[in-house]
Amino acid sequence: MYSPCGGSVTEGNIFVYLESSGLVRIGEEIYSKDLFLRIHEHLSETCESVAVMLVADTDVAHKQVYELKTELESLKAGLEVE
């Protein structure tokens, strides 16, 4: 899922979900680098900033979260994933 900018909203958000099964989603869509980059590019055109929120099920290993966080940050230099 992602939330675009409009009106007084100047920060776009991308929510990336890591499920306990290992499946990664952005909203209802299965994560891919291309999907993430397309959404990020779209938000960057209309927003002053873009925040990426990484949400994981409680039983997901810390290593999996770290690896996904690192991958997302590597796709866009300077991107901070929360």
Side-chain angles (χ1 to χ4, degrees):
M1 179 172 100
Y2 66 97
S3 59
C5 298
S8 62
V9 177
T10 60
E11 180 178 82
N13 295 289
I14 304 172
F15 295 90
V16 180
Y17 300 95
L18 179 55
E19 299 177 0
S20 57
S21 65
L23 188 62
V24 181
R25 295 184 178 275
I26 298 176
E28 295 297 316
E29 298 187 55
I30 295 176
Y31 165 82
S32 72
K33 291 177 184 179
D34 288 339
L35 174 63
F36 176 80
L37 291 172
R38 271 197 327 266
I39 293 170
H40 189 277
E41 182 66 29
H42 172 72
L43 292 177
S44 295
E45 291 173 0
T46 58
C47 302
E48 290 179 19
S49 61
V50 177
V52 178
M53 308 301 280
L54 179 54
V55 181
D57 286 342
T58 55
D59 55 347
V60 172
H62 292 280
K63 181 180 179 190
Q64 287 176 284
V65 175
Y66 176 78
E67 288 173 350
L68 181 57
K69 179 181 183 292
T70 302
E71 178 178 313
L72 293 172
E73 289 174 339
S74 74
L75 292 175
K76 294 304 263 185
L79 177 69
E80 257 187 60
V81 179
E82 301 173 14

